[in-house]
């Protein structure tokens, strides 16, 4: 039962992340000013990919390492952006309530990593994989 709850929780979080990052990417393509860029690459596009690949892996592929590579990359970006935002050295896109979105990204990706680790731990005793 817990495996299914965690599995579906991961799916929902990934979809929420896709919607949020997708909105920023659309705004970026419309205005050119939707999110910060590093070497002309919009970071919201990187984050969108980092939600999309883990969703695909989570739903269809058994190569869990890709899940952790992409969530780890995005989590690292979110951590650095959150620290820079907090220190006043960067400006993350903000929600309508003026909360920096990098804080939410850090929370989401940290949660995704923790949930997947726990999900995989639950699978070890019976050596099954939920798909």
């Amino acid at each position: 039962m817990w495996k299914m709850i965690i599995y579906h929780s991961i799916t929902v979080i990934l979809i929420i992340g896709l919607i949020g990052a997708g909105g920023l990417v659309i705004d970026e393509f419309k205005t050119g000013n939707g999110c910060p860029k590093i070497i002309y690459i919009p970071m919201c596009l990187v984050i969108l990919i980092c939600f999309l690949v883990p969703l695909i892996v989570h739903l269809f592929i058994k190569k869990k390492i890709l899940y952790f590579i992409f969530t780890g990359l995005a989590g690292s970006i979110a951590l650095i952006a959150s620290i820079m935002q907090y220190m006043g050295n960067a400006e993350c896109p903000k929600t309508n309530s003026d909360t920096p979105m990098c804080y939410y990204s850090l929370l989401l990706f940290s949660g995704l990593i923790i949930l997947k680790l726990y999900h995989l731990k639950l699978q070890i005793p019976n050596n099954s994989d939920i798909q």
Side-chain angles (χ1 to χ4, degrees):
M1 178 175 123
W2 282 108
K3 286 194 298 188
M4 290 300 290
I5 291 170
I6 293 170
Y7 178 83
H8 292 301
S9 296
I10 291 169
T11 304
V12 168
I13 293 170
L14 287 166
I15 291 170
I16 289 169
L18 272 174
I19 292 167
L24 284 175
V25 170
I26 290 169
D27 193 37
E28 174 65 29
F29 286 137
K30 283 182 181 177
T31 66
N33 201 18
C35 56
K37 295 168 192 63
I38 297 178
I39 314 171
Y40 303 108
I41 300 169
M43 286 298 100
C44 53
L45 182 59
V46 173
I47 298 299
L48 178 71
I49 293 167
C50 287
F51 276 116
L52 182 61
V53 171
L55 179 63
I56 293 167
V57 168
H58 179 66
L59 295 175
F60 302 112
I61 303 173
K62 296 186 185 232
K63 299 213 181 257
K64 304 299 183 210
I65 190 71
L66 289 174
Y67 180 96
F68 289 108
I69 288 171
F70 281 88
T71 54
L73 172 66
S76 299
I77 292 168
L79 177 62
I80 292 166
S82 295
I83 291 169
M84 290 177 69
Q85 171 74 36
Y86 182 76
M87 303 282 285
N89 298 329
E91 191 68 29
C92 296
K94 295 197 169 65
T95 64
N96 290 337
S97 62
D98 214 32
T99 305
M101 288 184 176
C102 51
Y103 296 168
Y104 289 120
S105 287
L106 179 59
L107 182 66
L108 289 175
F109 283 108
S110 298
L112 286 167
I113 292 167
I114 291 166
L115 283 171
K116 184 58 107 176
L117 286 171
Y118 189 64
H119 183 251
L120 292 173
K121 182 180 176 186
L122 288 174
Q123 291 177 341
I124 290 172
N126 62 9
N127 203 15
S128 67
D129 195 20
I130 190 166
Q131 290 297 327

